[in-house]
Amino acid sequence: MKKTKLVVIGGDAAGMSAASKVRREQPDFEIIVFEKSEYTSYSACGIPYFISGKVEELDELIVRSPTQFIEKYNIQAKTLHEVLEVDTDQNRILVCNRKDKTQFWESYDALLIATGGKAFCPEVKNHTANGIFGIQTLTSGSKVDTFLKKHQPKSAVIIGGGYIGLEMAEALILRGMKVTIVDRAPEVMSTLDPDMGKKVHEALENLGVEIFNSESLDHFEEKDGLVSAVVTDKQTIKTNLVILGMGTAPNTSFLINSNIELSEKKAIKVNDKQQTNVKNVWSAGDCAETLHLVSNKPFYIALGTVANKTGLVAGTNIAGGDLKFPGVVATAVCKICVHEIARTGLLEKECVDLKIDFVSTIIKSKTRAHYYPEAKDIFVKLIAEKGTGKLLGGQIIGEEGAAKRIDVLATALTYKLTLQNIIDLDLSYAPPFSPVWDPVQTAARKLIGMI
Ligand SMILES: Cc1cc2nc3c(=O)[nH]c(=O)nc-3n(C[C@H](O)[C@H](O)[C@H](O)COP(=O)(O)OP(=O)(O)OC[C@H]3O[C@@H](n4cnc5c(N)ncnc54)[C@H](O)[C@@H]3O)c2cc1C
């Protein structure tokens, strides 16, 4: 009997989670993965820590190599193979072997598209100059490290003050560089409300980071093939290293002429089983759209957590199982030096756009009992629906021990809990870990008086 053939495009978190799951469930499937870079199954999230030197070798970020995939799992992972086109009428894809530049068509019975996202880069003058890097794949991390060793720049400009920009700022500070952040938004970390973003701004300035908000990139200057300056709508900043942290866009341009339905943001539309609109074509990870469980609207978010989970769901269903991915509440954490930043749910601005009547508050508490050594400040912001007290969103900034408290709020959002439900939670306490009222409950107690 002919074996069912699964073809996966993209060999990282989502693609390899799915391929591995299919292998566990279906030992007889033929599984081929096409990956355009030279790496499979790596941690892009670890790139800033490799750049900073906390992780010494790039190889430490690789979970499984193509050799391990074939030897242990009988999955053929073909690296340096880029998929150029998907022909869903004839169930085949056009592949380019980047080593010898040859092209060939590969047929499939089931296709999973897991091509992730790409760092957004506007096509402004000199945007291809050497020294300008978007951080997305392990290859990009390796290129930045090689550039730093070769050119030893003293300063860097990061365009975009989101979490990748901030993590890269930490990495470059730890490498002894002067860091400037340029962001067109009025405050850094636009995934937070501006009042919480301001606290991140202050923390960054205390670390010596120079920040220019409400300032947009116009173009780059280039000298002898190397970037020499960032030109904004307000000034020219001399630098030989630029990191792009302007957001992630779904990597789907090769699908433009296919029958696969894309969203306005060009993410692949999927149902809760990760199926696209085309039979036997699935998608997962940063190239796919998902559902926001608080707004109940389609949503695009590029995170490793979501990529691994949607990959598992896609793999289960491709293998004949029945699993659903419910959606996300947009939970994310990041760290810059000693400062931890976390967010989940809706921002105030999103509540306004959705015409939800809300109340919000920010409280300042401590990460441990006030008398316990190393107790640090922690700020918790909660947003809740006026009248019902249903939690809508939460943001946390503080030092060690602050960020992971967001998981309590993410759980509350997932299960549509109210402020009273949060106050009622039997959360843990001992002086080294928290005050007797955990800061998230202190915030809920304050906000409940305002609903
Ligand atoms: C610097 C950085 C830090 C991050 N930190 C965090 C974090 O702390 N927490 C978190 O949750 N998330 C984090 N993320 C996001 C996380 O890494 C991604 O969400 C996750 O890697 C997405 O997995 P994916 O498999 O969907 O896509 P990717 O990891 O992008 O993998 C897609 C793969 O497809 C390949 N590909 C693309 N197009 C083609 C094609 N046409 N043909 C063949 N192959 C193709 C690419 O080369 C790539 O290897 C971070 C990302 C970066 C860049």
Side-chain angles (χ1 to χ4, degrees), residues 10 12-14 35-36 42 44-45 83 114-116 135 163 285-286 303-305 307:
D12 192 26
E35 164 55 50
K36 81 173 174 192
Y42 50 86
C45 314
V83 175
T115 45
I135 309 291
Y163 84 91
D286 285 4
L303 283 176
T305 46

Side-chain angles (χ1 to χ4, degrees), residues 206-280:
N206 287 336
L207 293 168
V209 179
E210 187 178 36
I211 305 169
F212 297 107
N213 279 113
S214 305
E215 205 164 312
S216 294
L217 170 69
D218 190 84
H219 65 276
F220 301 103
E221 283 180 2
E222 178 181 335
K223 198 171 170 231
D224 303 328
L226 204 65
V227 67
S228 58
V230 171
V231 183
T232 73
D233 52 357
K234 295 192 179 146
Q235 60 174 325
T236 297
I237 310 166
K238 297 269 175 224
T239 187
N240 291 130
L241 175 63
V242 176
I243 302 290
L244 302 170
M246 304 172 81
T248 304
N251 217 342
T252 53
S253 49
F254 68 109
L255 297 174
I256 296 299
N257 297 320
S258 77
N259 299 325
I260 297 164
E261 200 184 339
L262 303 180
S263 72
E264 225 174 276
K265 289 190 169 169
K266 307 290 179 223
I268 300 169
K269 283 186 161 288
V270 288
N271 64 14
D272 57 7
K273 293 177 141 194
Q274 301 302 130
Q275 285 169 312
T276 71
N277 61 312
V278 178
K279 196 166 176 256
N280 294 331

Side-chain angles (χ1 to χ4, degrees), residues 336-378:
I336 170 148
C337 299
V338 295
H339 305 283
E340 300 182 356
I341 302 153
R343 58 97 60 229
T344 188
L346 300 177
L347 298 175
E348 286 191 2
K349 181 184 172 307
E350 291 170 311
C351 294
V352 171
D353 291 347
L354 290 161
K355 300 190 172 41
I356 301 173
D357 204 2
F358 67 91
V359 287
S360 70
T361 192
I362 299 177
I363 62 105
K364 180 178 172 187
S365 179
K366 291 282 178 195
T367 52
R368 304 164 196 244
H370 69 276
Y371 52 81
Y372 193 87
E374 305 288 311
K376 301 287 185 201
D377 288 347
I378 174 172

Side-chain angles (χ1 to χ4, degrees), residues 9-15 34-37 39 42-48 81-84 114-117 135-137 163-164 167-168 251 254 284-287 302-307 333:
I9 317 177
D12 192 26
F34 292 106
E35 164 55 50
K36 81 173 174 192
S37 76
Y39 303 104
Y42 50 86
S43 170
C45 314
I47 292 171
H81 281 70
E82 180 174 4
V83 175
L84 304 177
T115 45
I135 309 291
Q136 192 65 45
T137 58
Y163 84 91
I164 291 182
E167 289 179 353
M168 286 304 295
N251 217 342
F254 68 109
D286 285 4
C287 58
L303 283 176
T305 46
V306 183
V333 288

